[in-house]
Amino acid sequence: MKLQIEKMVYGGAGLAHPTEGEAGAVFVPFTLPGELVEARFIEKKSDHDEASLLNVLTASKDRTDPGCKHFGECGGCHYQHAKYPAQVNIKTAILQDAMEHVGLTALPKIQPHTGEQWGYRNRTRLRVEEIEGTLKVGYNRRGSNQFLAIQECPIIAPLLWRAAAILLRVAADNSTSGRWAQTISEVEFFTTADEKKLQMSVFVQKKSQTGFADFCEHMKEEIPELTGAGSLLASPKSPQRQMQKARPLEDWGAKGLSYQAAHEDYWVGRGSFFQVNRFLVEELIAIVTKGHQGKLAWDLYAGVGLFSKQLAKEFQQIVAVEAAGSDLTNSFRGSGKRAVEATAVEFLRNAVVQRERPELIVIDPPRAGVGPEVCSFLARIAAPEIIYVSCDPITLARDLKMLVDAGYNIVELHFVDLFPQTFHLETVVILRR
């Protein structure tokens, strides 16, 4: 079928309607607004049809050649066929649409913040599999759990790809360390913004014999930036594999690294969450914390204290709340600093009873957002200002509608492009009563 692409939708596809006036929508990946394309029907979903792109009959002026040879096959990137300014415009429009879809129309102008579009990721997790007798690293093929061996990944920091190549070289060595490396099924690398320190987590399907320390020493010889590593027993392969927690086995070297951003050092334990874009972390911190001061602020879903440490310079007391808070409780200490290891719901439920009222609440939840219960508690606490940091515009819009209905006004709306070449986007929203 021939389709005219009308706009992009969250998830990376272009939206079209088969014929004028017909209600059904068709999603076609790797297209751009305004393009006339030929597509083939694949699958019917509840609210749209999915199709694959066959030919671009009339190309957009924003179309460009992908920067990676694996684009289209690899499940990681979605927008490499679009020039970078067009990617920014697409994401801004998607964010605007998400807000308007739930009835949020009186919005301030979206402010975009961008950085380097390549080599920005400070973390990658790669699968390791044997292909025709040789170990390869790779990701999942698009839309499946099938392994795709890769020869490059231009969105990750160069040190991460160098480390992956060295791991394969070590595994090819017929030594104790090489034989141990051959048992690895996945590997995760994490580096500092300046690429001077590297952490490694390796996942194995069964507990191996001795050799992990030798493997790490061998890696250290080849890549001096390596400061620590851990081995973990991966869950059995299944569709739910990623949902099951791996079991730690052995450690080597430091159990994390100190990540410097905005003149602060953050201790990030191996495997702990930290913002992935090494070029825009400081910009994100500034948007959230600059110009805010007072007596008391709460940082919910605080992670390793990315915002808490900055806010502590301007507030008399900061309460940082994190469910998986071991890194936070170990590092966020001192006068006016309190780390609480609890979920946001648990903390807020108690705070409502105690009738505590901060001047500022920062929330940076995972992709699922905060949900009705947290929004209800926030409405009852009625802090003068809330800053909501989100990585999903759909759940963000849902939560914002509840907060606006509870009396808050959206006064600033920032789009921070932490994930160039992909459909993912980060948003910072400032709300005031």
Side-chain angles (χ1 to χ4, degrees), residues 177-194:
S177 59
R179 287 191 294 275
W180 196 94
Q182 290 165 19
T183 68
I184 297 171
S185 61
E186 289 182 88
V187 61
E188 182 174 280
F189 294 111
F190 175 60
T191 184
T192 49
D194 58 9

Side-chain angles (χ1 to χ4, degrees), residues 51-65:
S52 62
L53 178 65
L54 296 177
N55 294 299
V56 178
L57 303 176
T58 305
S60 166
K61 60 179 175 48
D62 294 321
R63 182 169 284 275
T64 190
D65 293 331

Side-chain angles (χ1 to χ4, degrees), residues 170-171 173 175-182 211 213-216 218-219:
V170 169
D173 187 332
S175 61
T176 303
S177 59
R179 287 191 294 275
W180 196 94
Q182 290 165 19
D214 289 338
F215 162 68
C216 293
H218 197 159
M219 287 288 291

Side-chain angles (χ1 to χ4, degrees), residues 10-321:
Y10 187 61
L15 177 146
H17 290 88
T19 57
E20 192 68 35
E22 193 170 322
V26 183
F27 288 5
V28 191
F30 310 123
T31 57
L32 292 172
E35 290 188 330
L36 180 66
V37 303
E38 191 175 25
R40 175 184 289 126
F41 172 82
I42 295 178
E43 186 179 2
K44 191 167 203 60
K45 299 285 188 177
S46 59
D47 59 349
H48 67 273
D49 292 343
E50 292 195 350
S52 62
L53 178 65
L54 296 177
N55 294 299
V56 178
L57 303 176
T58 305
S60 166
K61 60 179 175 48
D62 294 321
R63 182 169 284 275
T64 190
D65 293 331
C68 175
K69 65 178 69 175
H70 304 296
F71 178 65
E73 282 188 289
C74 176
C77 290
H78 317 90
Y79 286 152
Q80 286 192 25
H81 61 296
K83 294 175 182 175
Y84 188 57
Q87 294 185 32
V88 175
N89 291 337
I90 286 167
K91 292 183 183 183
T92 303
I94 286 171
L95 178 57
Q96 184 83 28
D97 279 355
M99 301 293 129
E100 292 176 356
H101 183 71
V102 297
L104 296 172
T105 53
L107 296 171
K109 185 178 180 181
I110 297 171
Q111 302 177 51
H113 304 261
T114 60
E116 296 289 332
Q117 58 172 305
W118 301 106
Y120 62 85
R121 288 189 62 95
N122 56 30
R123 187 190 301 270
T124 189
R125 182 161 170 170
L126 295 152
R127 290 173 61 176
V128 183
E129 291 201 10
E130 186 177 305
I131 305 292
E132 297 178 353
T134 305
L135 276 189
K136 305 280 187 182
V137 293
Y139 298 123
N140 285 347
R141 286 187 181 276
R142 181 176 168 269
S144 77
N145 286 323
Q146 291 180 354
F147 177 70
L148 174 70
I150 61 169
Q151 298 169 20
E152 62 177 354
C153 181
I155 65 170
I156 65 175
L159 176 63
L160 304 182
W161 182 250
R162 182 156 61 92
I166 287 168
L167 184 148
L168 295 180
R169 199 156 69 231
V170 169
D173 187 332
N174 191 26
S175 61
T176 303
S177 59
R179 287 191 294 275
W180 196 94
Q182 290 165 19
T183 68
I184 297 171
S185 61
E186 289 182 88
V187 61
E188 182 174 280
F189 294 111
F190 175 60
T191 184
T192 49
D194 58 9
E195 300 181 271
K196 290 185 177 177
K197 293 178 183 175
L198 179 73
Q199 279 284 323
M200 174 177 67
S201 300
V202 291
F203 300 81
V204 295
Q205 294 297 324
K206 60 181 180 179
K207 192 171 181 179
S208 305
Q209 301 302 312
T210 56
F212 176 65
D214 289 338
F215 162 68
C216 293
E217 294 292 347
H218 197 159
M219 287 288 291
K220 175 75 172 177
E221 289 173 13
E222 297 278 349
I223 191 156
E225 295 90 344
L226 185 66
T227 60
S231 64
L232 302 97
L233 186 63
S235 303
K237 288 190 175 182
S238 71
Q240 288 77 39
R241 178 173 59 92
Q242 298 292 350
M243 303 298 292
Q244 299 173 27
K245 198 170 178 65
R247 181 162 64 87
L249 296 173
E250 296 182 73
D251 287 311
W252 174 89
K255 293 189 177 183
L257 52 76
S258 182
Y259 198 110
Q260 190 174 78
H263 309 293
E264 285 286 345
D265 288 322
Y266 297 91
W267 176 256
V268 185
R270 193 166 45 246
S272 294
F273 173 79
F274 195 81
Q275 291 290 354
V276 76
N277 190 308
R278 63 196 181 105
F279 301 125
L280 280 176
V281 168
E282 294 189 350
E283 179 87 358
L284 181 66
I285 292 170
I287 296 166
V288 172
T289 64
K290 194 173 180 182
H292 299 283
Q293 57 186 14
K295 291 182 179 179
L296 173 63
W298 295 346
D299 182 12
L300 310 184
Y301 312 90
V304 297
L306 186 66
F307 305 125
S308 304
K309 285 195 173 184
Q310 303 295 333
L311 290 168
K313 299 171 185 176
E314 302 296 337
F315 283 82
Q316 292 177 23
Q317 185 179 21
I318 298 293
V319 181
V321 181

Side-chain angles (χ1 to χ4, degrees), residues 301 365-372 388 390-392 394-396 398-399:
Y301 312 90
R367 200 168 300 283
V370 299
Y388 193 141
S390 167
C391 60
D392 188 302
I394 308 304
T395 57
L396 170 67
R398 176 203 66 199
D399 293 341

Side-chain angles (χ1 to χ4, degrees), residues 298 300-301 321 340 342-356 361 372-378 380-381:
W298 295 346
L300 310 184
Y301 312 90
V321 181
V340 177
T343 66
V345 169
E346 291 166 345
F347 174 79
L348 290 171
R349 186 180 291 122
N350 184 61
V352 166
V353 174
Q354 300 297 326
R355 297 177 182 267
E356 296 181 45
I361 300 176
E373 192 172 10
V374 168
C375 286
S376 174
F377 284 136
L378 292 173
R380 289 172 65 185
I381 290 163

